[in-house]
Amino acid sequence: MTPGRYAGRSKKFSEIATRVCNWGRWGADDQLGTLNLIDDEARRRAVACVRSGRAVALGLELSETRGIQAGIIPGRINPLRTMTHLNTPLSEDPEWICSNEDVVVMGTQSATHWDALSHVSYGGLLYNGHPATSVTARGASRCGIDLVRTLVSRGVLLDVARAKGVEVLEAGYAIRPEDLDAACELGRCEVQSGDVVLVRTGQMLHLALRHPALGQAAGTSSGSGPSAESSAPPARRDPVRYAWPSPGLTMDTAEWFWSHDVAAVATDTLPLEVFPCEEPETFLPVHLLHIVEMGMTQGQNWVLDELADQCADDGAYTFLLDATPLPFADGTGSPLNPVALK
Amino acid sequence: MTPGRYAGRSKKFSEIATRVCNWGRWGADDQLGTLNLIDDEARRRAVACVRSGRAVALGLELSETRGIQAGIIPGRINPLRTMTHLNTPLSEDPEWICSNEDVVVMGTQSATHWDALSHVSYGGLLYNGHPATSVTARGASRCGIDLVRTLVSRGVLLDVARAKGVEVLEAGYAIRPEDLDAACELGRCEVQSGDVVLVRTGQMLHLALRHPALGQAAGTSSGSGPSAESSAPPARRDPVRYAWPSPGLTMDTAEWFWSHDVAAVATDTLPLEVFPCEEPETFLPVHLLHIVEMGMTQGQNWVLDELADQCADDGAYTFLLDATPLPFADGTGSPLNPVALK
Amino acid sequence: MTPGRYAGRSKKFSEIATRVCNWGRWGADDQLGTLNLIDDEARRRAVACVRSGRAVALGLELSETRGIQAGIIPGRINPLRTMTHLNTPLSEDPEWICSNEDVVVMGTQSATHWDALSHVSYGGLLYNGHPATSVTARGASRCGIDLVRTLVSRGVLLDVARAKGVEVLEAGYAIRPEDLDAACELGRCEVQSGDVVLVRTGQMLHLALRHPALGQAAGTSSGSGPSAESSAPPARRDPVRYAWPSPGLTMDTAEWFWSHDVAAVATDTLPLEVFPCEEPETFLPVHLLHIVEMGMTQGQNWVLDELADQCADDGAYTFLLDATPLPFADGTGSPLNPVALK
Amino acid sequence: MTPGRYAGRSKKFSEIATRVCNWGRWGADDQLGTLNLIDDEARRRAVACVRSGRAVALGLELSETRGIQAGIIPGRINPLRTMTHLNTPLSEDPEWICSNEDVVVMGTQSATHWDALSHVSYGGLLYNGHPATSVTARGASRCGIDLVRTLVSRGVLLDVARAKGVEVLEAGYAIRPEDLDAACELGRCEVQSGDVVLVRTGQMLHLALRHPALGQAAGTSSGSGPSAESSAPPARRDPVRYAWPSPGLTMDTAEWFWSHDVAAVATDTLPLEVFPCEEPETFLPVHLLHIVEMGMTQGQNWVLDELADQCADDGAYTFLLDATPLPFADGTGSPLNPVALK
């Protein structure tokens, strides 16, 4: 299992990595990691959560002018959608059928997305020991996002912000296992094997999102419930402030996810983990624990405010979640519009 | 309601258009059309269909080299995914975290997709009388795809090919209402208000798809059931032949969809409707009946072979379908990876 | 000639527009405007300027991370170049030929560029009365950049900054005809029919460019000559400050260009004209005078610092200029890398 | 100099490579190769060729629908230009300034282009021994196209097709050194150190180009001169036939270019070299001789027909050539629109 892999790494990282490593757990050739924990039974359990039939979309609007990328990460360009047909007659009669079509260019990680297990490596190795060199200019010949044929399971919202009674966790707040437990308690739910866990920090307050269909600010609508008492500043769109400093997950929580056999995790932040990072010399350790050691698929920039309001309203923090990525051949991630069905 | 709108149109088109027109049905400002037929009750009905918990993805792989566009429609380029990060160190230690990221450029209608109600117009009008000029270079300010917040309902597979005992409908086969009824009978199901109907022709035989997770040809696996007896030629990848001539829906079937209060329709073909078209002088009439007159969202290039095999195996042709588009702001369509949960 | 075209426009704009209008001057169908002033004789005159054989490139480096667009103008994305081949073996022997190739996405106006005569219109009309509706989603069917087959002529540098003894003109400095005359005097040259005039403001100080081949800052090298005495702040890359406030051309100078029969004009600024604009209610009037009224092609973001240093050194402010655009079919502009040969 | 570099290569390749290798000739760190042969004197010599002042553009039109890529080389997509502004009002008055802008996505090698010296490698080495690994997902940190600040020199047209009295060389015709000598004789010119050589095969007959400004077919206009007698079939656009089989340069001609100290070479074909290749087991050997061994920049898909007609008319086969690439930072090639000034 490559015991010397942690040589030179921080004590904390090495100890946790040793405990949560899933290499070989699903065979030497496995490329799916903890998604193996999702089976028909898990999906039936998800279906059993549905009560009202209400559906909530969790994807950010895909827009150039309102995109969340602020030029911090090279290449992650906001979605630029342009028209290839615009009121273009398709026949000789200009009064007959005219069509509109568009083309888009976007970073696959630029908005609400999954990172594939091919997204990060260290020491030359991806999850399960697949060589980092298996990713080339043609894409990820190992652990590509298209191997995730479907991603449907029970979703559990852990509303850490609400559990702490704030609209948004403070800048750089380091989420601890106790915070996750407290959120479970708020939701009166228990995380089970194969669940997909959504951790809410409230950080999208800084994006001043509007619910397009409702024409109202998310910050406003999420003002109900415990957060109503908070004295958060009025929402103002600030993508840089959204990006960082950011509350987020810590190395210790990797063990929590591992011991609960979580299938995948997503948050309403850009880096997912607390940023700046816990140890100055250990950059983005939670990425490596999740993706490389555990083989756990990570989601970022998920819109959780409307869902959180609904969960607070009906008291049910579990739901059927469809978070199937787009099948980009050999892709290292995928935009998606996840849907929670309650 | 613009009675003179059909002046100069073919008799058949005008008569059907008059009968199926939904303008004003959900208010003068409505931009969702028949998707209004999907409500919580419809989604609960969908959930009630789930038995095994098996999930099937219906989206084509997104690939440049295996993309289905053959240059016939200007601007519909196949997905070109390139790397922006490739084993790129994110810290000063090259042995620590390295990342892989990608960017994609693609026609939103180039693979498995929904067409928004802003996709086509005629006589200067979109669905419900919205002006065609409301679509500009910035996109569709009316009837944009992002208005479809979620698209989850009961899905019904109408396997017309299997009902006729063939692997693929013959070139240019015009699907009639009777064919849809026969497929309902095969599936022992009844289409209800708010259902999303998937019409299978078998046309993707010409794409010689492989089920990526299975490593086998779709043509082969769909060989079980009635089609096994057919003497279809061995599958060979031919995107031009896939495009046309194509079996597909006819004007008459628009009335069938209208009378059954279908919420949306998708097929496993490129044009959706029979192509070449029914009347030489009436180009793509089914597009206009569905999208402009009825306000019914259309899907194309859906992969239905694996789903069809499963339906044939378990005898259940209804399922929970999540076909939520990506929220492209003001977009005229969206790629997606629909999921059927059985 | 549409005399009522100026109804409702500012007095100043209308008066100048009336005087500089070139509609019909080269025929009712003309799409080239003042580029018609360039002929073989003008090119021979340009060739006659060459002394040393030294060549200077005037194009900004095309880069995402060092691009000059700061998100102010929707859709003008910085050049994003990614690899499609990366050390990719082209034969079965991995030790034999491996190739590297790239693909780029960029706004055609995002860096050093020409605006085609189809770039702007007002009152529904392009230059020479061509209808604005002749530009569609397919591009400019009139006045496309590809009609400019070549653009080679005598170039004249009008170094307004140096003539005023400053490294950069002050924020929002409005260049007057007298400034152009003073720059001619500095250069001891006279602008002639068919010349391409390059107006230097020094504004690229705010981009802190480095001459890639030289490894030194442009701000430094342009410190020689009169500007050495200036007390300009040390160069710091600030694309927003580069964009505006910006020194630039004024309406009055349009008459100067017209009376000198200038073929095309370019500057080292983003808006070309003074910004904020001269009259609050008249937005970008110089664009309309140049492009629509005169049919004069405009260039923006040209790198003039190195050229200016050389002109100051050898005292010759005229040169052979090749500023031929890329032939984008029906394009409304083109990136280019102009070359001055001295 | 890595003498063992040719181990295992074909005898012919190894012998020629040994003779033409320029590694170290311009220093151990050189990244420009034979472009070092262009100096002020070479440019003055180029200027001295100009007689009439006539300018000819040599770039293919950049178009999706008329692009020359036929899907043979993955990632080399034809230029797709779409509008980001389309008659878009820039102020509150819709009758005042409206703008049109576009964005383009294209393979940098998809039309008329230069290949940078970073385009190909073998045995892990680029030109001059730079490691192939110096090219990463961020681009070519060695031998990037942006290092070519300007590329202006004397151009020499070697019209091999005309010298042989044919409109187009026959399929797979292998151009020999004698053919180049014969073309020099036709042009009554001698190739000198620092010249850029353009080799014409007539292969663009298969593209059925039209001169956009002239509205006539290139095949027609190139019918004057010796080729008029040929019985070439009428031009028909066939990008696949254009791509191959293709007449082109052979390994032996590398020595010819080396002994004449040619600075750069371009042809009117897609592969530049004869294709299929001379030796079945040696794929694209001329690429490796030119780019890796000699450090000679290569150009492909140059439009030479109109230039050839003019050279035949006035008898002058030398001219001032500006073939400066776009400065893509770390790019491996660049589209361009070269200009010959006669």
Side-chain angles (χ1 to χ4, degrees):
Chain A
M1 241 1 136
T2 326
R5 225 157 28 94
Y6 310 131
R9 301 305 159 201
S10 88
K11 186 158 176 294
K12 183 164 195 177
F13 178 86
S14 302
E15 287 178 359
I16 298 175
T18 303
R19 287 196 288 266
V20 304
C21 181
N22 282 327
W23 293 21
R25 180 173 170 186
W26 296 283
D29 291 335
D30 180 59
Q31 302 180 54
L32 291 176
T34 52
L35 293 180
N36 284 293
L37 297 166
I38 304 176
D39 55 13
D40 288 356
E41 197 278 326
R43 283 185 287 259
R44 288 196 302 269
R45 190 157 37 86
V47 168
C49 295
V50 182
R51 293 283 176 276
S52 67
R54 189 157 178 189
V56 188
L58 310 181
L60 281 167
E61 131 183 80
L62 298 176
S63 159
E64 183 207 9
T65 50
R66 292 182 300 275
I68 65 168
Q69 298 301 321
I72 297 171
I73 303 173
R76 271 200 197 179
I77 60 169
N78 284 313
L80 176 63
R81 187 193 49 69
T82 51
M83 307 301 296
T84 56
H85 285 195
L86 177 51
N87 296 321
T88 304
L90 297 186
S91 68
E92 289 178 14
D93 177 358
E95 288 299 303
W96 191 236
I97 187 168
C98 292
S99 104
N100 300 300
E101 293 203 11
D102 24 37
V103 66
V104 68
V105 54
M106 64 182 292
T108 57
Q109 279 97 347
S110 63
T112 303
H113 69 275
W114 282 125
D115 286 326
L117 297 187
S118 47
H119 176 51
V120 289
S121 65
Y122 77 98
L125 300 176
L126 300 167
Y127 162 68
N128 216 10
H130 295 292
T133 54
S134 62
V135 188
T136 70
R138 298 309 293 165
S141 64
R142 292 287 183 286
C143 301
I145 196 68
D146 54 327
L147 299 183
V148 182
R149 296 284 285 152
T150 62
L151 206 167
V152 178
S153 193
R154 192 176 79 146
V156 181
L157 177 70
L158 299 189
D159 191 343
V160 176
R162 198 171 300 246
K164 293 192 78 74
V166 297
E167 195 160 17
V168 56
L169 295 177
E170 63 194 49
Y173 182 85
I175 298 176
R176 317 281 314 161
E178 306 85 84
D179 294 318
L180 303 180
D181 287 330
C184 284
E185 202 167 323
L186 170 74
R188 291 198 186 107
C189 60
E190 205 172 304
V191 171
Q192 296 180 310
S193 173
D195 283 349
V196 175
V197 169
L198 312 183
V199 178
R200 180 172 175 271
T201 69
Q203 181 78 351
M204 284 204 182
L205 181 80
H206 299 296
L207 293 176
L209 299 179
R210 301 183 323 113
H211 292 190
L214 306 176
Q216 63 180 135
T220 312
S221 71
S222 72
S224 62
S227 63
E229 285 95 307
S230 80
S231 58
R236 188 178 72 86
R237 178 177 151 76
D238 185 347
V240 173
R241 179 64 190 83
Y242 167 69
W244 75 288
S246 179
L249 297 173
T250 53
M251 288 190 263
D252 285 334
T253 61
E255 294 204 75
W256 194 97
F257 290 109
W258 185 83
S259 63
H260 286 80
D261 266 348
V262 169
V265 63
T267 73
D268 57 350
T269 71
L270 190 137
L272 188 129
E273 59 188 278
V274 60
F275 198 87
C277 302
E278 292 170 81
E279 300 175 346
E281 77 283 8
T282 309
F283 193 63
L284 296 178
V286 179
H287 275 67
L288 298 181
L289 291 173
H290 284 184
I291 296 178
V292 179
E293 297 294 328
M294 299 171 64
M296 183 167 68
T297 298
Q298 275 188 353
Q300 278 112 339
N301 305 315
W302 289 40
V303 182
L304 302 179
D305 293 334
E306 185 183 354
L307 175 64
D309 286 346
Q310 294 197 12
C311 292
D313 283 350
D314 64 16
Y317 282 77
T318 59
F319 36 85
L320 171 62
L321 177 73
D322 177 19
T324 299
L326 291 180
F328 286 105
D330 302 333
T332 68
S334 172
L336 79 159
N337 192 2
V339 172
L341 189 59
K342 290 177 61 72
Chain B
M1 232 43 98
T2 326
R5 223 156 31 93
Y6 311 129
R9 302 304 159 199
S10 87
K11 184 158 178 295
K12 182 164 197 178
F13 178 86
S14 303
E15 287 178 357
I16 298 175
T18 304
R19 288 194 289 265
V20 303
C21 182
N22 282 328
W23 293 21
R25 179 172 170 187
W26 295 283
D29 292 334
D30 179 59
Q31 302 179 54
L32 291 176
T34 52
L35 294 180
N36 284 295
L37 297 166
I38 304 177
D39 56 12
D40 288 355
E41 197 277 326
R43 283 185 288 258
R44 286 196 304 269
R45 192 157 35 87
V47 168
C49 295
V50 181
R51 292 284 177 275
S52 67
R54 190 158 178 189
V56 188
L58 311 181
L60 280 166
E61 133 182 80
L62 299 177
S63 159
E64 183 206 8
T65 50
R66 294 183 298 275
I68 66 169
Q69 298 301 321
I72 296 170
I73 303 173
R76 271 200 197 179
I77 59 170
N78 284 312
L80 176 62
R81 188 192 49 69
T82 52
M83 307 300 296
T84 55
H85 285 197
L86 179 50
N87 295 322
T88 304
L90 296 186
S91 67
E92 290 179 11
D93 177 358
E95 287 299 303
W96 190 236
I97 187 168
C98 291
S99 103
N100 300 300
E101 293 202 14
D102 25 36
V103 66
V104 68
V105 54
M106 64 183 293
T108 56
Q109 279 97 347
S110 62
T112 303
H113 69 275
W114 282 124
D115 285 328
L117 297 187
S118 46
H119 176 51
V120 290
S121 66
Y122 77 98
L125 300 176
L126 300 167
Y127 161 69
N128 216 10
H130 295 292
T133 54
S134 62
V135 188
T136 70
R138 299 306 295 163
S141 64
R142 292 287 183 286
C143 302
I145 195 68
D146 53 327
L147 299 183
V148 181
R149 296 282 285 150
T150 62
L151 207 168
V152 178
S153 194
R154 193 175 78 145
V156 180
L157 177 71
L158 299 189
D159 191 343
V160 176
R162 198 172 301 245
K164 293 192 78 74
V166 297
E167 195 163 18
V168 55
L169 295 177
E170 64 194 48
Y173 182 84
I175 297 175
R176 318 280 314 161
E178 307 84 84
D179 294 316
L180 301 180
D181 287 330
C184 284
E185 201 168 325
L186 169 74
R188 290 196 188 107
C189 59
E190 204 171 305
V191 170
Q192 297 180 310
S193 172
D195 283 349
V196 175
V197 169
L198 313 182
V199 178
R200 179 172 176 272
T201 69
Q203 181 78 351
M204 284 203 182
L205 180 81
H206 301 294
L207 293 176
L209 298 179
R210 300 186 321 118
H211 291 189
L214 306 176
Q216 62 180 136
T220 311
S221 71
S222 73
S224 63
S227 62
E229 285 95 305
S230 81
S231 58
R236 188 178 73 87
R237 179 177 150 75
D238 185 346
V240 174
R241 179 64 190 82
Y242 167 70
W244 74 289
S246 179
L249 298 172
T250 53
M251 288 189 264
D252 285 333
T253 60
E255 295 203 76
W256 193 96
F257 290 110
W258 185 83
S259 63
H260 285 79
D261 266 347
V262 170
V265 63
T267 72
D268 57 350
T269 71
L270 192 136
L272 188 130
E273 58 189 279
V274 61
F275 197 87
C277 302
E278 292 169 80
E279 300 176 346
E281 77 283 9
T282 309
F283 193 62
L284 296 178
V286 179
H287 275 67
L288 298 180
L289 292 173
H290 284 184
I291 295 178
V292 178
E293 297 295 328
M294 300 171 64
M296 185 167 67
T297 299
Q298 274 188 353
Q300 279 112 338
N301 305 315
W302 290 38
V303 182
L304 302 178
D305 293 333
E306 184 183 353
L307 175 65
D309 287 346
Q310 293 197 12
C311 292
D313 282 350
D314 64 16
Y317 282 77
T318 59
F319 36 85
L320 171 62
L321 177 73
D322 177 19
T324 300
L326 290 180
F328 286 106
D330 301 333
T332 67
S334 173
L336 80 158
N337 192 3
V339 172
L341 188 60
K342 290 177 59 77
Chain C
M1 270 274 202
T2 326
R5 224 158 27 95
Y6 310 131
R9 302 304 159 200
S10 88
K11 185 158 178 295
K12 183 164 197 178
F13 178 86
S14 303
E15 287 178 359
I16 298 175
T18 303
R19 288 196 288 266
V20 304
C21 182
N22 281 327
W23 292 20
R25 180 172 169 187
W26 296 283
D29 292 334
D30 179 59
Q31 302 180 53
L32 291 175
T34 52
L35 294 179
N36 283 294
L37 297 166
I38 303 177
D39 56 12
D40 288 356
E41 197 278 327
R43 282 185 287 258
R44 286 196 303 269
R45 190 157 37 87
V47 167
C49 295
V50 182
R51 293 285 178 274
S52 66
R54 189 157 177 189
V56 188
L58 310 181
L60 280 167
E61 128 182 85
L62 298 176
S63 159
E64 183 208 7
T65 50
R66 293 181 299 274
I68 65 168
Q69 298 301 321
I72 296 170
I73 303 172
R76 271 200 197 179
I77 59 169
N78 284 311
L80 177 62
R81 186 192 50 68
T82 51
M83 307 300 297
T84 55
H85 284 195
L86 177 51
N87 296 321
T88 303
L90 296 186
S91 69
E92 289 180 12
D93 177 358
E95 288 299 303
W96 191 236
I97 188 168
C98 291
S99 104
N100 300 301
E101 293 202 12
D102 24 37
V103 66
V104 68
V105 54
M106 65 183 294
T108 58
Q109 280 97 346
S110 62
T112 303
H113 69 275
W114 282 125
D115 285 328
L117 297 187
S118 46
H119 175 52
V120 289
S121 66
Y122 76 98
L125 299 176
L126 300 168
Y127 162 69
N128 216 9
H130 295 292
T133 53
S134 62
V135 188
T136 70
R138 299 308 293 163
S141 63
R142 292 287 183 287
C143 302
I145 195 69
D146 54 326
L147 299 183
V148 182
R149 296 283 285 149
T150 62
L151 206 167
V152 178
S153 193
R154 191 175 79 146
V156 180
L157 177 71
L158 298 189
D159 191 343
V160 176
R162 198 172 300 247
K164 293 193 79 72
V166 297
E167 195 161 18
V168 55
L169 294 177
E170 64 195 49
Y173 182 85
I175 297 176
R176 317 280 315 161
E178 306 85 84
D179 294 317
L180 302 180
D181 287 330
C184 285
E185 201 168 323
L186 169 74
R188 291 198 187 106
C189 58
E190 206 172 303
V191 170
Q192 296 179 312
S193 173
D195 283 349
V196 175
V197 170
L198 312 182
V199 178
R200 179 172 176 271
T201 69
Q203 181 78 352
M204 283 204 183
L205 180 80
H206 299 296
L207 293 177
L209 299 179
R210 301 183 324 115
H211 292 189
L214 306 177
Q216 63 179 136
T220 312
S221 71
S222 72
S224 63
S227 63
E229 283 97 306
S230 81
S231 57
R236 189 178 72 86
R237 179 178 152 76
D238 185 347
V240 174
R241 178 65 190 83
Y242 167 69
W244 76 288
S246 180
L249 298 172
T250 54
M251 287 190 263
D252 285 334
T253 61
E255 294 203 76
W256 193 97
F257 290 109
W258 185 83
S259 63
H260 285 81
D261 265 347
V262 169
V265 63
T267 71
D268 57 351
T269 71
L270 191 138
L272 188 128
E273 60 188 279
V274 60
F275 198 88
C277 302
E278 292 169 82
E279 300 176 346
E281 77 284 8
T282 310
F283 193 63
L284 295 178
V286 180
H287 275 67
L288 299 181
L289 291 174
H290 284 185
I291 296 178
V292 178
E293 298 294 329
M294 299 171 65
M296 183 167 68
T297 299
Q298 276 189 352
Q300 279 112 337
N301 305 316
W302 289 39
V303 182
L304 301 179
D305 294 332
E306 185 183 354
L307 175 65
D309 286 347
Q310 294 198 12
C311 292
D313 282 350
D314 65 14
Y317 282 77
T318 59
F319 36 85
L320 171 62
L321 177 73
D322 177 18
T324 300
L326 291 180
F328 286 106
D330 301 333
T332 68
S334 173
L336 79 158
N337 192 3
V339 172
L341 189 60
K342 288 176 63 74
Chain D
M1 237 15 127
T2 325
R5 223 156 30 94
Y6 309 131
R9 303 304 159 201
S10 89
K11 185 158 177 297
K12 182 163 198 177
F13 178 85
S14 303
E15 286 177 359
I16 298 175
T18 304
R19 288 195 289 266
V20 303
C21 182
N22 281 329
W23 293 21
R25 180 172 170 186
W26 296 284
D29 291 334
D30 180 59
Q31 303 180 52
L32 291 175
T34 53
L35 294 179
N36 284 294
L37 297 165
I38 303 177
D39 56 13
D40 288 355
E41 197 278 325
R43 282 185 288 258
R44 287 197 302 269
R45 191 155 36 86
V47 168
C49 295
V50 182
R51 291 284 178 276
S52 67
R54 189 157 177 191
V56 188
L58 311 180
L60 280 167
E61 129 181 84
L62 298 177
S63 159
E64 184 206 7
T65 50
R66 293 182 299 276
I68 66 168
Q69 298 300 322
I72 296 170
I73 302 173
R76 270 201 199 178
I77 59 170
N78 284 313
L80 176 64
R81 187 192 49 68
T82 51
M83 307 301 294
T84 56
H85 285 196
L86 178 51
N87 295 321
T88 304
L90 297 187
S91 68
E92 288 179 12
D93 177 357
E95 287 300 303
W96 190 237
I97 188 169
C98 292
S99 104
N100 300 300
E101 293 203 12
D102 25 35
V103 66
V104 68
V105 53
M106 65 182 293
T108 57
Q109 280 96 347
S110 63
T112 304
H113 70 275
W114 282 125
D115 286 327
L117 297 186
S118 47
H119 176 51
V120 290
S121 65
Y122 77 98
L125 299 176
L126 300 167
Y127 162 68
N128 216 8
H130 295 293
T133 54
S134 62
V135 188
T136 70
R138 299 307 293 164
S141 63
R142 293 286 184 285
C143 301
I145 195 70
D146 53 326
L147 299 183
V148 182
R149 296 283 285 151
T150 62
L151 207 167
V152 178
S153 194
R154 193 176 79 145
V156 180
L157 177 71
L158 300 189
D159 191 343
V160 176
R162 198 171 302 245
K164 294 192 77 74
V166 297
E167 194 162 18
V168 55
L169 295 177
E170 64 194 47
Y173 181 84
I175 298 176
R176 316 282 314 162
E178 307 85 83
D179 294 317
L180 301 180
D181 287 330
C184 284
E185 202 168 324
L186 169 75
R188 292 198 186 107
C189 59
E190 204 172 304
V191 171
Q192 297 179 310
S193 173
D195 283 350
V196 175
V197 169
L198 312 182
V199 178
R200 180 172 176 272
T201 69
Q203 180 78 351
M204 283 203 183
L205 180 80
H206 300 295
L207 293 177
L209 299 179
R210 302 185 321 117
H211 293 190
L214 306 175
Q216 63 179 136
T220 312
S221 71
S222 72
S224 62
S227 63
E229 285 95 306
S230 81
S231 58
R236 187 178 72 86
R237 179 177 151 76
D238 186 346
V240 174
R241 179 64 189 84
Y242 166 69
W244 74 289
S246 179
L249 298 172
T250 53
M251 288 189 263
D252 285 335
T253 61
E255 294 203 76
W256 193 96
F257 290 110
W258 185 83
S259 63
H260 286 80
D261 265 347
V262 169
V265 63
T267 72
D268 58 349
T269 71
L270 191 137
L272 187 129
E273 58 189 280
V274 60
F275 198 88
C277 303
E278 293 169 80
E279 300 175 346
E281 76 283 9
T282 308
F283 193 63
L284 296 178
V286 179
H287 275 67
L288 298 180
L289 292 173
H290 284 185
I291 295 177
V292 179
E293 298 294 328
M294 300 172 64
M296 185 166 67
T297 298
Q298 275 188 353
Q300 278 113 337
N301 304 316
W302 290 40
V303 182
L304 302 178
D305 293 334
E306 185 183 355
L307 175 65
D309 287 346
Q310 294 197 12
C311 292
D313 282 351
D314 64 16
Y317 282 77
T318 59
F319 36 84
L320 171 63
L321 177 74
D322 177 20
T324 299
L326 291 180
F328 287 105
D330 301 333
T332 68
S334 173
L336 80 159
N337 191 2
V339 172
L341 189 60
K342 290 176 59 78

